[in-house]
Amino acid sequence: MTYPKIHAQKQDRLPGLEREMDPPAEFIRDDYKGSGKLAGMVALVSGGDSGIGRAAALHFAREGADVAILYFDEHEDAEDAKQLIEAEGRRCLSLAGDIRDSGFCNDAVAKTLEAFGRLDVLINNAGRQEVQTRLEDITDEQWEKTFATNIHGYFYLTRAALPHLKAGASIINTTSINSFIGHPMLVDYTATKGAIDGFTRALSQQLIERDIRVNQIAPGPIWTPLQPATLGKHDPQMLEDFGSQMPMGRCGQPSELGPAYVYLACKDSSYVSGQTIHINGGKVVNG
């Protein structure tokens, strides 16, 4: 199978826009056949307008779930994602707002329940990163925004959702390869991903007695708008042959992560909690 080569580029807006990606990302493969693994279920996906979140939402829809997607202010990307989900014959609710605001998270869960009557799967996925080559250049504002988005938002959404999750429900967090290997240009981002690792493991132990499973996925370099909006903005050449340092010699596509979210959401993974699935092009990591 051939994969598109990534060339130098940048976006000047954070978060980035799916519509400006060149080449476009792949979200679900034409030959992915749904088999009703999530039939009748409802999922809430933060950052569901683009990238990994859109791929997860689209795979969920093909497996029979209705989906609520949360996004910041990328309205056209969110509309595209909504249309793709509805083309699978499922319902989609799209909600714009800031997950750094606990009030928005509470409201998003309430609106999801109002629209669909239940909640079975929570995917904490929305994130931000900014490049700084020296720790001294990370401002208080950048540090606080990164933590507020990448871990506070996970906590706020999970806290809001938990009273409505029944036995058999699943929480899936998106972490990163960087929390396992480190990234010298993304120190604050890497630190938040380490916090997510601890959050996942601790919460999984707390919720076992309620029969709610908590797991995480640790992507490597994946072709999402975050890359040109951060790495590319710092230096467009950083995206030339993006992902070529990985053993497989390329970056991953969002479509290559979607099935893992399905696995962790459905009964196939009924004996799995507190675990990490590494999807990173063959890089062997500890943890």
Side-chain angles (χ1 to χ4, degrees):
M1 186 172 181
T2 59
Y3 296 89
K5 184 177 180 180
I6 310 301
H7 294 287
Q9 59 191 277
K10 70 173 184 176
Q11 293 187 24
D12 294 321
R13 180 186 185 280
L14 183 65
L17 296 174
E18 199 69 59
R19 288 187 168 205
E20 295 182 7
M21 300 279 285
D22 183 24
E26 179 186 72
F27 300 104
I28 191 166
R29 291 173 174 167
D30 291 340
D31 62 358
Y32 182 90
K33 305 299 183 185
S35 57
K37 290 181 181 294
L38 303 177
M41 297 174 69
V42 172
L44 175 61
V45 184
S46 70
D49 61 299
S50 64
I52 295 168
R54 184 191 286 191
L58 191 52
H59 280 78
F60 278 24
R62 190 163 294 183
E63 290 291 354
D66 293 324
V67 186
I69 58 173
L70 309 186
Y71 68 99
F72 186 49
D73 63 358
E74 311 89 334
H75 302 299
E76 291 184 337
D77 281 353
E79 181 58 29
D80 290 343
K82 185 174 187 290
Q83 290 180 9
L84 287 169
I85 290 167
E86 290 176 342
E88 297 291 335
R90 305 310 306 174
R91 296 177 292 171
C92 178
L93 174 69
S94 62
L95 300 169
D98 192 342
I99 62 168
R100 296 176 295 181
D101 177 0
S102 63
F104 168 70
C105 294
N106 293 339
D107 189 54
V109 169
K111 287 182 176 177
T112 300
L113 292 164
E114 181 182 358
F116 300 132
R118 60 186 293 167
L119 180 59
D120 304 283
V121 183
L122 172 65
I123 297 183
N124 288 305
N125 169 75
R128 65 172 282 126
Q129 65 182 30
E130 293 184 66
V131 173
Q132 297 290 357
T133 58
R134 302 184 341 132
L135 183 74
E136 303 94 312
D137 295 331
I138 300 176
T139 64
D140 292 357
E141 180 183 19
Q142 177 180 328
W143 182 267
E144 290 164 4
K145 281 185 176 179
T146 303
F147 270 83
T149 303
N150 294 4
I151 183 64
H152 297 177
Y154 281 34
F155 165 69
Y156 295 149
L157 268 178
T158 304
R159 184 178 62 183
L162 263 177
H164 310 285
L165 296 178
K166 309 296 185 183
S170 179
I171 299 169
I172 308 168
N173 299 322
T174 302
T175 181
S176 169
I177 188 176
N178 291 319
S179 67
F180 296 88
I181 66 173
H183 195 302
M185 300 175 71
L186 299 171
V187 172
D188 54 335
Y189 173 84
T190 300
T192 64
K193 294 302 180 176
I196 292 168
D197 297 345
F199 179 64
T200 298
R201 291 167 179 155
L203 189 63
S204 74
Q205 300 305 292
Q206 185 181 104
L207 297 184
I208 279 181
E209 63 182 23
R210 293 161 67 173
D211 193 21
I212 297 172
R213 296 179 298 104
V214 187
N215 293 286
Q216 63 182 14
I217 291 174
I222 307 298
W223 188 229
T224 72
L226 197 60
Q227 311 306 340
T230 56
L231 301 179
K233 185 177 181 180
H234 176 74
D235 179 3
Q237 287 301 316
M238 290 184 69
L239 292 186
E240 188 68 31
D241 291 326
F242 176 60
S244 61
Q245 79 276 17
M246 305 310 289
M248 289 187 183
R250 63 174 180 87
C251 69
Q253 290 290 329
S255 61
E256 297 177 283
L257 281 79
Y261 287 89
V262 170
Y263 168 70
L264 291 177
C266 75
K267 292 181 179 179
D268 290 351
S269 60
S270 58
Y271 199 52
V272 179
S273 195
Q275 305 304 313
T276 305
I277 297 180
H278 294 274
I279 305 176
N280 61 28
K283 180 75 172 179
V284 177
V285 299
N286 293 320

